[in-house]
């Protein structure tokens, strides 16, 4: 600040010097060339003293001549001194300018050095390295810190955001009344309580460069970085910027990448630019913005994500001119999960939300013509739309398998791990990328939020020496808006025989009302811990199922049992909430089939 004021004063002084010089030059010209007429007359007459009429007049002429000469000398000297001062001031200003430039250069250089030092002091070694910034990594970090309060945990994420929940991206966020929801990423749960999509605020995390010097440890998130090479023998990871981090224990929780359709992959760039593979916060923001600008959006996929997005956009379309289309190759929504009769009932529910549902639709090609996407189906049907959302499953991210020498599962995909989620010595895998051995159901790979929570938590415990097998079954859920939803556990596959028991639903049998009464929000294994304990401790808690539905009744609420070799391996609670501990007991005990399957 002082330097800036000095420069301002110097510049002002230099400007004044220039003005002074100009004024003196003007004055000198007036004195030498533009003298008033009486002085001109006297000056001319002084050249000939013989013409002076009297001695007094001659003396007066001499005096005037001397005065004029003296004035001229004075002006010349003044101009010379002013010129010298002007050059001195100019030199001073140039010196100040050079000083400022040097200071700025030094400051820029210092900033550069500090940045380089900051990058250099990023931990080259951490006790716990978690690769991936999703739910599984955060659950593992929290579990590690619970077992070892002084633990130092580094999460490396290729996303620009700290760990967050993905389910609200296709559920609650779309039903928010906040016009700034894409910026705040805060939403109201079905129980009315507001929360952020992020697990913790930024203040929860320790800066990566401070992690190893923090006395009581902590969790750091290194965003925008990706581990591209893993040396399990040297316990060292290489990042995409060329830096290396060694570790003592490592978790791979890299999640997955949304699959695309072959028809889209071989289409033109115009098609790909108008296609969203929905997965991240940036995808939600982009699609939310598009939903208010384009005329139509087509969702390809009839599973959990596709059906949730269809209902969310359909509800919004009822208040706008947006056309929402959903197409899938099955005969009904969630046809790979629900029995056929329940899948068809669900499809009718989605249609009532304002969605144009096209079933038995296999995409042959997608092209871009005249400002529209043209989707050609194998049976000859044509669909025009402005934008496509592909929700056709997830491909586990397994790029590190080659460098780390880790085994991949040929049937289910993902890293092949044991019941303790361990792939190699000091390396564990959790979340979507883990193909684990379930001691009850055999080898599996699960792509659900609660599995990420449970497997991440278990991996974190085992990284601190617990050596526990994956025995506790995670649950998953899907909500078609605030009115219809279900919770499930185990293997739920529509190809399996099922037994269903249904009853008419009441106003209380909705995700919203259930959340309001229970006070729960995001449903995960953690949310049920207290309920599980209560169910285990109480001798009065017994399974209670609704009466069988009569022919023609709607499937308002009910229970669907999935059987394999006459043993219950999966349960769906349809519009029945907060009963998962009971369903878990049924599935874990492995009830044998006692009634005819549907």
């Amino acid at each position: 600040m002082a330097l800036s004021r000095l420069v301002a004063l110097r510049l002002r002084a230099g400007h004044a010097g220039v003005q002074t010089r100009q004024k003196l030059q003007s004055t000198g010209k007036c004195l030498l060339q533009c003298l008033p007429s009486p002085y001109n007359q006297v000056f001319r007459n002084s050249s000939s003293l013989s013409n002076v009429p009297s001695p007094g007049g001659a003396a007066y002429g001499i005096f005037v001549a001397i005065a004029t000469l003296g004035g001229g000398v004075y002006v010349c000297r003044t101009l010379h001194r002013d010129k010298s001062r002007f050059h001195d001031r100019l030199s001073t200003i140039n010196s100040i300018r050079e000083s400022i430039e040097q200071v700025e250069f030094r400051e820029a250089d210092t900033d550069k050095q500090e940045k380089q030092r900051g990058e250099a002091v990023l931990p080259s070694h951490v006790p716990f390295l978690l690769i991936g910034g999703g739910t599984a990594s955060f659950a593992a970090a929290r579990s590690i810190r619970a077992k070892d309060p002084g633990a130092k945990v580094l999460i490396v994420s290729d996303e620009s955001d700290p760990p967050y929940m993905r389910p609200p991206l296709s559920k609650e966020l779309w039903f928010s009344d906040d016009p700034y929801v894409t910026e705040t990423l805060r939403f109201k749960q079905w129980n009315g309580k507001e929360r952020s999509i992020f697990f913790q605020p930024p203040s929860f995390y320790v800066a990566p460069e401070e992690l190893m010097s923090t006395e009581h440890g902590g969790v750091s998130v290194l965003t925008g970085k990706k581990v591209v090479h893993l040396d399990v023998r040297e316990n060292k990871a290489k990042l995409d910027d060329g830096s290396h981090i060694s570790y003592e224990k490592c978790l791979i929780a890299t999640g997955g990448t949304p699959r695309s359709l072959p028809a889209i992959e071989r289409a033109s760039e115009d098609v790909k630019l108008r296609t969203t593979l929905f997965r991240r916060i940036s995808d939600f923001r982009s699609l939310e913005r598009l939903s208010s600008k384009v005329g139509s959006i087509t969702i390809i996929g009839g599973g959990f994500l596709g059906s949730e997005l269809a209902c969310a956009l359909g509800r919004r379309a009822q208040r706008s001119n947006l056309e929402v289309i959903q197409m899938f190759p099955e005969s009904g929504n969630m046809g790979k999960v629900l029995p056929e009769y329940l899948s068809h009932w669900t499809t009718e529910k989605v249609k009532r939300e304002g969605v144009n549902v096209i079933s038995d639709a296999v995409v042959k090609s997608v092209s871009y013509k005249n400002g529209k996407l043209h989707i050609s189906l194998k049976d000859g049907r044509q669909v025009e739309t402005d934008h496509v959302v592909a929700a056709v499953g997830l491909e586990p991210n397994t790029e590190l398998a080659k460098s780390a020498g880790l085994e991949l599962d040929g049937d289910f995909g993902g890293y092949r791990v044991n019941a303790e989620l361990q792939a190699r010595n000091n390396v564990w895998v959790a979340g979507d990328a883990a193909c684990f051995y379930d001691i009850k159901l055999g080898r599996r790979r699960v792509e659900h939020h609660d599995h990420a929570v449970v497997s991440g938590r278990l991996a974190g415990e085992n990284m601190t020496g617990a050596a526990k097998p994956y025995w506790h079954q995670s649950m998953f859920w899907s909500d078609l808006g605030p009115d219809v939803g279900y919770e499930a556990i185990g293997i739920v596959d529509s190809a399996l025989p099922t037994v269903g028991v249904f009853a008419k639903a009441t106003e209380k049998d909705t995700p919203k009302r259930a959340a309001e009464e229970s006070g729960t929000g995001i449903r995960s294994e953690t949310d049920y811990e207290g309920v599980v304990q209560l169910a285990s401790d109480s001798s009065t808690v017994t399974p209670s199922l609704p009466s069988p539905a009569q022919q023609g009744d709607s499937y308002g609420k009910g229970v669907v049992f999935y059987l394999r070799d006459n043993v219950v391996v999966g349960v769906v609670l349809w519009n029945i909430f907060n009963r998962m501990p009971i369903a878990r007991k049924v599935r874990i005990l492995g009830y044998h089939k006692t009634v005819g399957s549907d």
Side-chain angles (χ1 to χ4, degrees):
M1 179 63 73
L3 182 59
S4 299
R5 293 173 65 182
L6 176 60
V7 171
L9 290 172
R10 291 293 188 181
L11 290 172
R12 191 179 299 169
H15 182 64
V18 173
Q19 289 181 328
T20 302
R21 182 169 180 265
Q22 291 174 345
K23 288 181 180 180
L24 289 175
Q25 287 178 338
S26 177
T27 303
K29 289 181 179 179
C30 288
L31 287 172
L32 295 175
Q33 301 175 6
C34 304
L35 292 174
S37 55
Y39 294 94
N40 286 332
Q41 183 66 36
V42 172
F43 197 76
R44 286 194 297 271
N45 290 339
S46 66
S47 61
S48 178
L49 293 179
S50 59
N51 294 328
V52 179
S54 64
Y60 178 78
I62 294 172
F63 171 78
V64 171
I66 294 173
T68 301
L69 182 61
V73 172
Y74 173 80
V75 169
C76 289
R77 289 183 177 178
T78 301
L79 289 173
H80 181 73
R81 287 195 302 268
D82 185 73
K83 183 179 180 180
S84 299
R85 285 195 301 270
F86 173 78
H87 286 296
D88 290 342
R89 290 171 180 171
L90 211 58
S91 178
T92 302
I93 291 172
N94 289 333
S95 299
I96 293 173
R97 185 184 296 113
E98 291 175 358
S99 299
I100 293 174
E101 291 174 351
Q102 290 175 358
V103 170
E104 290 176 343
F105 177 81
R106 285 196 298 269
E107 289 176 347
D109 188 61
T110 301
D111 291 342
K112 182 178 180 180
Q113 292 176 358
E114 288 177 352
K115 183 178 180 181
Q116 291 175 345
R117 285 197 298 269
E119 293 176 350
V121 299
L122 288 177
S124 58
H125 175 81
V126 292
F128 297 94
L129 175 65
L130 312 184
I131 303 174
T135 299
S137 275
F138 181 80
R142 186 166 53 185
S143 180
I144 292 169
R145 292 276 295 168
K147 297 294 182 181
D148 181 3
K152 298 176 179 179
V153 183
L154 177 64
I155 298 174
V156 180
S157 173
D158 62 351
E159 295 196 49
S160 58
D161 299 293
Y164 60 90
M165 299 173 286
R166 297 193 192 276
L169 296 179
S170 59
K171 296 182 176 71
E172 293 93 338
L173 282 174
W174 288 96
F175 295 88
S176 173
D177 294 327
D178 182 5
Y180 304 104
V181 65
T182 55
E183 300 302 323
T184 64
L185 295 175
R186 297 188 64 84
F187 62 95
K188 284 186 178 180
Q189 304 172 98
W190 300 144
N191 61 6
K193 295 180 180 179
E194 185 177 281
R195 68 172 298 174
S196 170
I197 194 175
F198 298 103
F199 289 112
Q200 292 290 345
S203 58
F204 169 83
Y205 302 99
V206 178
E209 60 269 20
E210 299 174 1
L211 177 63
M212 296 308 295
S213 61
T214 302
E215 181 180 358
H216 301 293
V219 180
S220 293
V221 181
L222 186 60
T223 58
K225 300 292 183 181
K226 184 177 181 179
V227 175
V228 295
H229 188 277
L230 189 65
D231 188 336
V232 298
R233 289 180 296 180
E234 298 294 330
N235 286 0
K236 186 177 293 185
K238 180 182 178 182
L239 275 59
D240 53 0
D241 62 359
S243 59
H244 292 80
I245 300 176
S246 61
Y247 59 85
E248 296 172 23
K249 305 290 178 65
C250 176
L251 172 70
I252 299 176
T254 47
T257 301
R259 291 192 183 101
S260 184
L261 290 167
I264 294 177
E265 290 180 347
R266 61 175 178 262
S268 66
E269 287 300 317
D270 288 325
V271 172
K272 294 176 182 178
L273 287 173
R274 292 163 177 81
T275 300
T276 296
L277 304 180
F278 197 90
R279 176 70 172 171
R280 300 185 173 191
I281 289 177
S282 57
D283 301 322
F284 163 71
R285 286 172 168 161
S286 174
L287 188 60
E288 201 279 339
R289 184 175 62 254
L290 280 169
S291 67
S292 61
K293 292 183 177 180
V294 300
S296 64
I297 295 177
T298 297
I299 300 166
I300 302 177
F304 305 105
L305 179 60
S307 298
E308 289 169 0
L309 285 175
C311 284
L313 288 170
R315 183 72 64 91
R316 175 168 295 192
Q318 294 176 10
R319 307 190 303 267
S320 65
N321 295 322
L322 176 67
E323 179 188 17
V324 180
I325 304 168
Q326 183 187 18
M327 60 175 60
F328 41 78
E330 297 81 24
S331 61
N333 285 78
M334 291 181 282
K336 293 183 178 180
V337 175
L338 301 177
E340 186 176 10
Y341 62 88
L342 195 54
S343 171
H344 290 170
W345 187 91
T346 304
T347 300
E348 294 303 314
K349 166 65 171 64
V350 175
K351 289 180 179 179
R352 289 195 298 271
E353 292 293 330
V355 180
N356 178 14
V357 179
I358 304 175
S359 59
D360 301 306
V362 178
V363 178
K364 180 181 179 181
S365 65
V366 184
S367 60
Y368 179 72
K369 293 181 294 184
N370 302 321
K372 290 281 187 178
L373 293 176
H374 295 259
I375 303 174
S376 299
L377 304 181
K378 284 192 174 180
D379 59 6
R381 286 179 290 179
Q382 300 283 329
V383 176
E384 284 191 4
T385 189
D386 293 314
H387 195 82
V388 165
V389 179
V392 291
L394 202 67
E395 192 68 35
N397 292 327
T398 57
E399 294 91 344
L400 294 175
K402 185 175 182 180
S403 62
L406 301 181
E407 183 181 3
L408 299 179
D409 189 87
D411 296 326
F412 300 99
Y415 297 96
R416 195 176 178 91
V417 296
N418 59 19
E420 289 76 27
L421 304 181
Q422 194 170 26
R424 292 282 293 274
N425 186 35
N426 295 336
V427 178
W428 287 258
V429 186
D432 299 337
C435 182
F436 61 97
Y437 181 77
D438 187 319
I439 60 177
K440 290 285 185 179
L441 299 174
R443 189 155 294 279
R444 304 175 63 198
R445 189 176 70 83
V446 180
E447 299 174 359
H448 294 293
H449 171 83
D450 194 66
H451 167 68
V453 173
V454 175
S455 63
R457 182 175 61 196
L458 177 63
E461 291 181 14
N462 289 341
M463 292 171 77
T464 57
K468 293 181 179 179
Y470 192 106
W471 66 269
H472 199 89
Q473 294 298 311
S474 62
M475 54 84 67
F476 61 92
W477 79 97
S478 181
D479 294 335
L480 302 180
D483 301 325
V484 175
Y486 66 89
E487 299 174 353
I489 186 174
I491 298 177
V492 288
D493 186 339
S494 61
L496 295 174
T498 62
V499 174
V501 185
F502 291 87
K504 289 184 178 180
T506 67
E507 293 181 355
K508 294 182 179 180
D509 299 318
T510 66
K512 183 176 181 180
R513 288 296 297 273
E516 290 172 349
E517 293 182 3
S518 66
T520 59
I522 292 294
R523 303 195 290 280
S524 70
E525 195 59 45
T526 304
D527 295 327
Y528 286 100
E529 286 178 344
V531 182
V532 171
Q533 187 64 37
L534 179 64
S536 300
D537 294 343
S538 175
S539 59
T540 61
V541 176
T542 57
S544 177
L545 301 178
S547 302
Q550 300 298 319
Q551 183 71 26
D553 285 348
S554 66
Y555 303 103
K557 65 178 179 181
V559 180
V560 180
F561 300 98
Y562 292 75
L563 309 174
R564 188 170 64 185
D565 298 328
N566 292 331
V567 175
V568 175
V569 294
V571 179
V572 166
L573 302 180
W574 185 260
N575 268 349
I576 296 177
F577 306 97
N578 302 322
R579 296 293 184 269
M580 187 51 64
I582 299 174
R584 179 172 286 105
K585 282 186 175 182
V586 172
R587 209 225 51 78
I588 291 177
L589 291 175
Y591 280 83
H592 286 268
K593 173 182 175 183
T594 58
V595 296
S597 62
D598 292 321

